[in-house]
Amino acid sequence: MIDMAPPPASQQVMMYRSGDQWLLRIAGYRWIPEGGAATRRREIAILDADAEELASRITEADLNQLSQLPFYGPNALFCLHGTTLAVSIGVAGKMSSATQHSCAGKTKLNQLAAAFRQLALKYDPEFEGLLSGLLE
């Protein structure tokens, strides 16, 4: 799962296996100044090959490395607002996760977010503009 959570909503792409199929659960939004947030949510079955390709991009070593990075980045002296980007993996009853603030700069976490976003848009192009926080 990749998650970007600024108020007033979140942008999230979760990939999980249920029974014999892989599913994507997607939640997105965009802020409309004159009317608040436009939101969209959907759950979609995806091909095994697509799920396996995305899963292969995230290793336990990657998560260990990401979890050691400073939340606000190595040089953050002053940071206002922004967002939190998180990746979580659950395998065999064990959960691993890493989070960083947008002030931390671009890391592998942003690359993973972009890969989840790209997969979501492949299956539902209507999310274009609603997952912009997951750009690399």
Side-chain angles (χ1 to χ4, degrees), residues 1-2 13 15 51-64 66 86-91 96-98 108-109 111-116 119:
M1 169 177 67
I2 199 77
V13 181
M15 182 177 74
E52 290 161 9
E53 194 280 325
L54 182 56
S56 73
R57 294 181 184 208
I58 309 165
T59 66
E60 190 169 335
D62 290 333
L63 274 178
N64 287 336
L66 288 170
V87 63
S88 300
I89 298 174
V91 177
S96 299
S97 63
K108 172 108 178 167
L109 195 54
Q111 294 170 358
L112 292 172
F116 272 88
L119 186 60

Side-chain angles (χ1 to χ4, degrees), residues 111-133:
Q111 294 170 358
L112 292 172
F116 272 88
R117 178 184 177 277
Q118 183 178 10
L119 186 60
L121 292 176
K122 175 180 178 178
Y123 282 90
D124 190 341
E126 298 279 325
F127 276 96
E128 185 64 55
L130 300 173
L131 299 172
S132 61

Side-chain angles (χ1 to χ4, degrees), residues 44-86:
I44 308 165
I46 64 172
L47 296 173
D48 287 353
D50 288 335
E52 290 161 9
E53 194 280 325
L54 182 56
S56 73
R57 294 181 184 208
I58 309 165
T59 66
E60 190 169 335
D62 290 333
L63 274 178
N64 287 336
Q65 179 186 15
L66 288 170
S67 68
Q68 300 303 312
L69 295 174
F71 181 71
Y72 287 107
N75 301 317
L77 300 175
F78 188 70
C79 182
L80 291 175
H81 303 295
T83 60
T84 299
L85 190 60

